[in-house]
Amino acid sequence: AAVASSQSELDALLKTQKDTEWAISDITAKMTVANESLYSGRVRNPKELGNLQQELEGFKHQRDPLEEKAMAYMEKIESVQGRLKTLDAELKAVESRLREEHKTLHAQIDELKVKLADLSHSRKRTYVDFFSI
């Protein structure tokens, strides 16, 4: 259950990180277009140039928190991956121990079956010997 829970947490974090990276990519693309317009020389109106600069600043203010979130998601993902790796190793150890115990129990069952058969045979012989006197 802990492995499944950690795996679903990891999947959710990876999805959120990817969504954040897409948002960053979109903003970066818009910044590139705005930068090209700003420095291409096509825009000569000072008011339009000022608007483009403000637009670029707005994009930077949008992108910076998203980049911080992306870094935080990366740290969380690494943490969950480490926990998942530890849980997976523990699960494999428990499964191995369970297999060994299963083998031991089957061997004990086989021994008890043989012992039961011997005791049953011995009891029948004692019963026959008792009544044949």
Side-chain angles (χ1 to χ4, degrees), residues 110-124:
D110 291 341
E111 288 175 20
L112 290 172
K113 284 180 182 179
V114 169
K115 198 174 199 178
L116 180 62
D118 288 345
L119 289 172
S120 180
H121 181 68
S122 176
R123 187 177 91 188
K124 284 180 186 177

Side-chain angles (χ1 to χ4, degrees), residues 119-132:
L119 289 172
S120 180
H121 181 68
S122 176
R123 187 177 91 188
K124 284 180 186 177
R125 210 172 354 151
T126 304
Y127 183 74
V128 169
D129 288 345
F130 181 74
F131 286 107
S132 55

Side-chain angles (χ1 to χ4, degrees), residues 59-120:
F59 288 143
K60 287 179 187 176
H61 288 295
Q62 289 175 359
R63 186 183 63 182
D64 291 345
L66 289 174
E67 287 178 341
E68 289 176 21
K69 280 184 180 181
M71 290 300 285
Y73 287 131
M74 283 183 200
E75 290 173 5
K76 287 180 183 178
I77 287 169
E78 287 177 9
S79 172
V80 172
Q81 285 174 333
R83 185 172 66 232
L84 191 57
K85 189 175 181 179
T86 301
L87 288 171
D88 191 45
E90 289 174 5
L91 178 62
K92 286 180 181 176
V94 167
E95 287 173 342
S96 176
R97 192 171 62 242
L98 183 62
R99 277 192 299 275
E100 290 301 316
E101 288 178 10
H102 193 260
K103 286 178 187 178
T104 302
L105 289 173
H106 274 288
Q108 289 175 348
I109 288 171
D110 291 341
E111 288 175 20
L112 290 172
K113 284 180 182 179
V114 169
K115 198 174 199 178
L116 180 62
D118 288 345
L119 289 172
S120 180

Side-chain angles (χ1 to χ4, degrees), residues 1-19:
V3 171
S5 173
S6 292
Q7 185 62 50
S8 72
E9 181 182 357
L10 178 62
D11 292 343
L13 285 170
L14 288 171
K15 182 189 178 315
T16 305
Q17 180 193 22
K18 186 163 264 308
D19 291 345

